Each structure stands twice: as C-alpha cells, then as structure tokens.
Amino acid sequence: GPEVTKTVREAIELGYRHIDCAQAYWNQELVAPALKAVPREDLWVTSKLWRGDYTKDKVPEAIDRCLRELDTPYLDLWLIHWPDRTVPVAETLEAMYKAQQDGKVKSIGLSNCTIRHLQDALKTGVPIVMNQIEHHPYLQQPELFKFCNEHDIAITGYSPLARGKAAKDPLLATI
C-alpha cells in the first residue's frame, strides 16, 4: 500500500536513482507517485516483462500497461524477467525492440539468464545491454560474468546479501 510509495520516495530523497520494478511485483502503480520526487531524466527506471506477456501480440500491450502503471513516458531498461522455452526468445525480443524503436524503451536486457539463454538472445541481433542475475558472496558465476563482459553485456546483481545470509556470516562481517 502507501508504505511502498513512502519508502521509494524516501529512497529517492536520499539519493537512490535506480528504481527496479517488475510486472510480477504488482506494485508499479504504488511506485509511480514517488518517481515524481525528481525530474524523470534524473532516474533510471527498470521494469521486467512477465512470462504471460512474452508473445509478440502481448508485448505491445504489456509495455503500454507498464508505462501507464509507472506514469512515465519511457523505461530506461526493460528486461525479460525469466527465460521461458515455450515462447521463442526471438519473438519476445523482436517485439520489445519495436517498443524501443517507438521510444518507449531506451535499452533491452534479460534477467535470470544463463550463458545458453544469452547465446540464443544474441542470435536475434537485438542489442542486449544487461543481464540481471542473483549475485552475492555465495554465488559468484565467474563464467557468466566472463561471457557477458566478452559480449558487452552489463550485469546487475540482485540479492547481494544472499537474502540476509551474508549479513550474518562471521567471515564476511570480519572482512
């Protein structure tokens, strides 16, 4: 509820500038009012396309709904939330690329993808700029980092404290 709006607004007031959203979080309409705390161009807003909208006929509706919910004219980054072999990644990425060409999305990326998923995505020719993955002291994924680096794909790490486990680790506390 309103706690989401308040928390995101406070984070922006404290200097946070990357706001990470997703269709599957069901809170974009609550995040939207907080985005008005600073000029839009001062924020980096990411959202993620959910599995039920991966087909080419659903992607345009999904981006319009996302922009409406966030009350913003564009996303800085739009990610495919999870790999899904039931819809060819080329179909999804080509529809997302059309949204980018229409000015609704500045950059396209993936989330939760392995090297194999990235290889399939790169075959489409759609520029992939980001792979958002779980990354923390217990999950380093050096081969995935190497692959992304070799293909100019940036990494955004989520769950950097391993869902709280790292904060309780005596060795990490010492470091």
Side-chain angles (χ1 to χ4, degrees), residues 25-91:
Y25 300 166
W26 299 101
N27 65 2
Q28 293 185 144
E29 289 173 320
L30 299 169
V31 169
L35 300 180
K36 306 301 181 204
V38 297
R40 173 62 183 87
E41 60 272 10
D42 291 350
L43 295 173
W44 178 275
V45 180
T46 299
S47 190
K48 299 169 204 76
L49 179 68
W50 189 240
R51 287 180 166 159
D53 292 325
Y54 285 2
T55 59
K56 65 182 173 191
D57 59 319
K58 291 185 179 180
V59 170
E61 178 186 319
I63 187 58
D64 289 343
R65 182 174 58 251
C66 179
L67 296 176
R68 191 172 50 254
E69 288 175 359
L70 287 168
D71 191 22
T72 187
Y74 65 92
L75 292 176
D76 295 285
L77 178 62
W78 199 23
L79 307 172
I80 294 176
H81 203 142
W82 283 94
D84 185 344
R85 291 286 180 190
T86 65
V87 179
V89 71
E91 178 177 340

Side-chain angles (χ1 to χ4, degrees), residues 133-137 139-141 145 155-162:
I133 58 169
E134 184 173 357
H135 182 67
H136 49 72
L139 184 59
Q140 295 292 308
Q141 305 190 70
F145 268 74
I155 297 273
T156 299
Y158 71 81
S159 202
L161 298 178

Side-chain angles (χ1 to χ4, degrees), residues 130-149:
M130 182 71 64
N131 187 21
Q132 187 179 84
I133 58 169
E134 184 173 357
H135 182 67
H136 49 72
Y138 310 120
L139 184 59
Q140 295 292 308
Q141 305 190 70
E143 291 302 314
L144 181 56
F145 268 74
K146 180 180 178 209
F147 181 89
C148 288
N149 188 48

